[in-house]
Amino acid sequence: MPAERPRVFVAREIPAAGLDRILATCDADVWREDLPPPRDELLARAAGCQGILSLLTETIDAELMDAAGDALRVVSNYAVGFNNIDIQEATRRGIRVGNTPGVLTDATADMAVTLLLAVGRRLVEANRFVMGGQWQTWQPLGHIGVDLVDKTAGIVGLGRIGSTVARRLRGGWNMRILYFDQYRNEAAEQELGAEQVEFEALLDQADFVSVHLNLDDSTSGLFDAAAFRRMKNTAVFVNTARGPLHVQRDLAEALRRGEIFAAGLDVTDPEPLPPGDPLLELPNCIVVPHIASATVQSRNGMAEIAADNLLAGLRGEPLCCWVNPEVEQSTA
Ligand code: DGY
């Protein structure tokens, strides 16, 4: 008798680089709609599954784990961030959780720099000006943006992605690199001359602030009215990490009042932005729909790792990118 194929729920169609391997070895229920499964559908489909491949749009909490039942062994998140998953609860239940770091570092860093350039040089605003038929002549005082060469970058979270952004800014524009992080990054200090500073000192000095923190209770709302007020009124703020790291109404207000020059957001709170959100009215803000990892290599790499994690977890093996390796001790 052939061995029974493990039951898994895959919360969206992901690139074939990973999906094909899952389909080849599992009894896989793949949600093929563009929009995420509604909560009741997710709970129903998770029932009896040994593995779940989730996206950042799926909340994987105790309720979901209860709905899945005792069979659930692994949750493989198709993302490097895992704030959508109750890790403590998963660990308590011996459920392995995996994520997809590394493969999206360059693409995400590129997006941070793209947003900096785009809002710093008022690209979208200027393009709308042309498309709207307002371009009548060359204007000595029109569409003036910010300079980049020799400026100061403030990197909040100098991990993989943050230090890749720093490397681009140092190498491309000779920026001075300040960073705020709970950990010291000696490699970046040596390579880029990065200087670790307090959060407030970074806000005071940076011409460009880029956020690369995990979202958790200690970082949620870090960029609030006081933080934006503290920044230079010529500063550019970029968030490619998670929307709730900034308090969105405070950001909109700071942009409206000119407390900061501009913002480039790959992530918002909530996602998607509801129609009529104040950010959408502001000429000095660009919002893109959480696409920093949207390149062929990144998304294929994420699919491969997510499949590896899922299949390893189903076999009861260590995950290649394991968020809660302490599960091994608790189940050993
Ligand atoms: C992640 O991986 O956490 C991104 O936000 C989506 O690629």
Side-chain angles (χ1 to χ4, degrees), residues 56 78-81 100 104 241-242 290 293 299 302:
L56 51 88
Y78 183 71
V80 63
T100 64
L104 43 68
R242 285 292 182 268
H290 205 147
S293 67
R299 292 285 166 87
M302 290 165 68

Side-chain angles (χ1 to χ4, degrees), residues 62 199 202 232 236 290 300 323:
F199 185 56
L202 180 145
K232 296 182 182 182
V236 171
H290 205 147
N300 284 342
V323 174

Side-chain angles (χ1 to χ4, degrees), residues 78 104 107-108 111 266 290-299 302:
Y78 183 71
L104 43 68
T108 306
M111 179 57 70
D266 182 48
H290 205 147
I291 55 168
S293 67
T295 68
V296 174
Q297 247 172 259
S298 290
R299 292 285 166 87
M302 290 165 68

Side-chain angles (χ1 to χ4, degrees), residues 268-279:
T268 58
D269 181 24
E271 291 181 9
L273 274 187
D277 187 281
L279 285 182

